Amino acid sequence: MNRTIGWVVGIIVLLIVVWFAFTMINVDQTQEGELPEVSVEGGQMPEADVTTGDVDVGTEEKTVTVPTVDVQPAPETDTPEQPAPAN
């Protein structure tokens, strides 16, 4: 019951947020935009001498001891566990 109420309240809040997002602001374009004209002449790309190090990648076999995990399922019972009485 509480979960259903939570979902209903959540959906109502979401709808209100969406309504505000689409109705609270109204933007009308009053003039077309235009990009400026740009003229570029001459120039030169910079020169650079780049020296990089060498990287050697190889493989090596290793033996790794991995721990084992033994999982024991809980025994099945016919009656569910009852909580301890509160004092």
Side-chain angles (χ1 to χ4, degrees):
M1 180 70 176
N2 288 340
R3 195 172 244 193
T4 304
I5 293 172
W7 277 103
V8 170
V9 169
I11 290 172
I12 291 172
V13 168
L14 180 65
L15 290 173
I16 291 171
V17 169
V18 169
W19 179 76
F20 272 113
F22 286 104
T23 61
M24 292 303 291
I25 298 175
N26 185 17
V27 177
D28 294 324
Q29 183 175 353
T30 58
Q31 183 178 359
E32 290 289 324
E34 185 178 318
L35 293 176
E37 291 187 25
V38 178
S39 176
V40 178
E41 295 180 20
Q44 178 180 343
M45 292 294 293
E47 292 185 20
D49 290 329
V50 178
T51 305
T52 60
D54 293 332
V55 177
D56 295 325
V57 178
T59 60
E60 182 179 332
E61 285 194 28
K62 292 277 186 176
T63 302
V64 178
T65 304
V66 179
T68 59
V69 178
D70 187 24
V71 177
Q72 299 293 327
E76 293 185 24
T77 60
D78 293 336
T79 59
E81 291 184 25
Q82 298 295 325
N87 289 333

